[in-house]
Amino acid sequence: MTSLVLHYSAISDVGRVRKDNQDSGYAGPWLLTVCDGVGGAARGDIASSTAVKALRELDDAPEGRGDLLDRVAAGLDAAHLAIGRLVDEEPALNGTSTTSTVALFDGCRVGIGHVGDSRAYLWRSGELSQLTTDHTFVQTLVDEGRISPEEAETHPHRHVILRALDGNHDLEPDLFVLEVVPGDRLLLCSDGASGSLRADRLADILATGTPDYAAVELVRASLEAGSTDNVTCVVADVVDEATLADDPSFAELEPLLVGAASELRRRGRGVAGGMGLFRGHRSGDTGELEPVDAEIPEGVPFAIATDPETQRYAPRPPRRFAWLSRLLVLAVVVGLLWVATAAAWAWSQRQYYVGEADGQVTIFRGLDAELPGVALSEPYETSDVDVDLLSDFDANEVVEGIDAGDLESARETVQRLAEQQRTEPTTGSSTGSTTGEG
């Protein structure tokens, strides 16, 4: 049997809207994976990077290491438990989780493990196939025939996921094996790409260039298509060793760590994992003036002292209109403070969170904080969801306040709570589905 190898590339971009990258990705000779952190304020970037750190242990030659899918399942379970331990050690991270799509290669097959709404695709002989099925609320509507796949692309709750790695709920990954042949191209991506590019556009890009080119082009096209999320793409070609014998780029190929996992790893080590910022040099004119060879004319008032210290402390004539200068400076400072305060207030009125008011789940506009004598938020929308009908876990989260960022995310949170509320008050606790997208 001809031995096959992977020629891979990976890239992650924070995008044009988000301030943090909550995606993490990894590409190595035996392992490809993309994890998309969920949780917003609960630090989805930590969840995704923790998962990738655990999954990287799978990137090793398969000889004598057991069944392919058993290894994938064990890797996902290890990532799941690692996130659970993280939350136990730091309760502030409660609610964090991550999607995970894994492709483990053994030289002729790929074992796929999948949780959440990141995706795996196969491009073969000019045809693109989606290998994974999203674990989302909207996908269940499609499966039940209640909406069409086209309607799912613009559904307001398309980001509500039902399965994730969180160290809390039962782990139920999809697991299957794919036989691969030379010429196959694999794509693993976060929904920042799959949610912005239609299948035909993905196929067009995957049909061209090297894995490096395809990965970069997929991210560029996603951003140009209006993606508001982080975008992470891992592309790998399945090739035989003979084909790569004359390819010098393959000999230089090293494992790639991208996204939040890469950022957290190199924090404090400078830009780009130890590579400094590019510093250009100026050639030609430096902007400096040539020295003036001239004598100082006689009769110049306030003779220049030859001793620098004498010159520093020499008496100066009094400044005219000093009071006016101080007044102008004060006016500028007051103006800047007013502008900053107005901007901060305007920004706060674009923030939303889900809380409790009069026993009902309510969307608040503003900041979930308090200052003496100053109201930083106010009720914006009151739902018909009764806090007493929620599980203890969900009820506590609502009372403490669930950060949503924008109004759409807040409404998605309320929708999720509405679907999980009980018909009558009971004691005890129940678990709900993981929601939200980082």
Side-chain angles (χ1 to χ4, degrees):
M1 178 182 295
T2 303
S3 180
L4 303 177
V5 293
L6 295 180
H7 192 187
Y8 52 82
S9 183
I11 185 171
S12 183
D13 194 284
V14 69
R16 297 173 176 172
V17 176
R18 309 270 183 172
K19 65 177 182 178
D20 298 314
N21 194 347
Q22 301 201 7
D23 289 359
S24 292
Y26 178 83
W30 305 103
L31 174 72
L32 313 171
T33 185
V34 168
C35 298
D36 184 355
V38 181
R43 297 298 301 276
D45 57 332
I46 293 180
S48 69
S49 57
T50 299
V52 166
K53 180 181 179 182
L55 290 167
R56 286 180 63 186
E57 299 299 320
L58 297 174
D59 191 24
D60 205 351
E63 291 85 353
R65 295 186 175 271
D67 181 76
L68 190 62
L69 288 187
D70 286 346
R71 292 179 61 203
V72 174
L76 288 171
D77 189 58
H80 187 62
L81 295 177
I83 294 173
R85 289 192 297 270
L86 199 66
V87 174
D88 290 341
E89 295 169 0
E90 183 52 69
L93 297 176
N94 186 32
T96 191
S97 60
T98 183
T99 71
S100 186
T101 300
V102 179
L104 183 62
F105 183 57
D106 71 354
C108 60
R109 304 174 303 160
V110 172
I112 304 292
H114 171 67
V115 178
D117 66 349
S118 299
R119 290 183 181 177
Y121 292 90
L122 170 67
W123 187 86
R124 173 182 289 175
S125 301
E127 297 290 334
L128 182 69
S129 304
Q130 181 178 329
L131 299 176
T132 55
T133 301
D134 296 346
H135 298 144
T136 61
F137 171 69
V138 167
Q139 184 62 46
T140 63
L141 300 181
V142 174
D143 294 341
E144 295 169 0
R146 296 167 62 181
I147 63 174
S148 68
E150 292 72 24
E151 291 173 322
E153 294 177 358
T154 57
H155 195 282
H157 303 311
R158 61 188 179 278
H159 297 305
V160 178
I161 66 171
L162 303 180
R163 298 190 209 173
L165 304 180
D166 63 2
N168 183 17
H169 301 88
D170 292 338
L171 181 60
E172 301 177 41
D174 293 340
L175 300 168
F176 57 93
V177 172
L178 173 70
E179 299 284 343
V180 293
V181 297
D184 285 351
R185 174 167 280 187
L186 296 168
L187 165 64
L188 275 64
C189 63
S190 63
D191 68 330
S194 59
S196 302
L197 301 178
R198 300 179 67 91
D200 56 350
R201 181 66 176 129
L202 290 173
D204 287 343
I205 297 174
L206 290 173
T208 58
T210 64
D212 276 335
Y213 174 85
V216 172
E217 184 65 13
L218 285 165
V219 172
R220 185 198 63 78
S222 299
L223 298 179
E224 287 191 353
S227 177
T228 60
D229 205 348
N230 314 136
V231 184
T232 301
C233 295
V234 175
V235 179
D237 287 347
V238 179
V239 295
D240 58 74
E241 289 183 332
T243 302
L244 289 175
D246 298 326
D247 187 347
S249 66
F250 183 76
E252 301 172 357
L253 207 56
E254 295 182 354
L256 298 172
L257 186 66
V258 299
S262 175
E263 293 296 327
L264 292 176
R265 183 187 182 199
R266 68 188 183 214
R267 183 171 294 166
R269 296 176 55 195
V271 178
M275 295 175 60
L277 288 171
F278 172 78
R279 290 180 174 86
H281 69 279
R282 294 190 303 175
S283 60
D285 183 19
T286 64
E288 297 177 355
L289 296 176
E290 295 295 327
V292 178
D293 295 325
E295 297 292 334
I296 298 176
E298 294 183 2
V300 173
F302 191 68
I304 300 176
T306 56
D307 181 4
E309 290 303 302
T310 303
Q311 182 177 356
R312 172 184 288 185
Y313 297 110
R316 298 296 198 267
R319 298 176 62 185
R320 302 180 63 185
F321 306 111
W323 63 271
L324 181 58
S325 299
R326 295 191 185 97
L327 183 61
L328 290 175
V329 170
L330 179 61
V332 170
V333 170
V334 171
L336 291 174
L337 289 175
W338 183 88
V339 170
T341 302
W345 175 255
W347 172 83
S348 71
Q349 295 308 293
R350 296 192 297 271
Q351 309 304 305
Y352 296 87
Y353 68 92
V354 176
E356 179 269 342
D358 297 328
Q360 302 299 118
V361 174
T362 302
I363 296 176
F364 288 81
R365 181 172 67 180
L367 301 179
D368 186 11
E370 295 182 359
L371 288 177
V374 179
L376 298 180
S377 64
E378 61 181 2
Y380 185 78
E381 289 183 4
T382 301
S383 73
D384 57 359
V385 181
D386 193 331
V387 175
D388 291 338
L389 298 182
L390 299 175
S391 68
D392 292 344
F393 177 82
D394 286 339
N396 288 336
E397 280 200 324
V398 170
V399 171
E400 293 178 1
I402 303 174
D403 181 45
D406 55 34
L407 183 57
E408 179 182 355
S409 297
R411 287 170 174 166
E412 290 177 0
T413 299
V414 172
Q415 176 67 24
R416 188 259 297 174
L417 294 171
E419 294 165 359
Q420 294 180 345
Q421 70 176 336
R422 298 183 291 264
T423 57
E424 59 183 19
T426 61
T427 59
S429 63
S430 61
T431 59
S433 300
T434 306
T435 66
E437 190 73 24

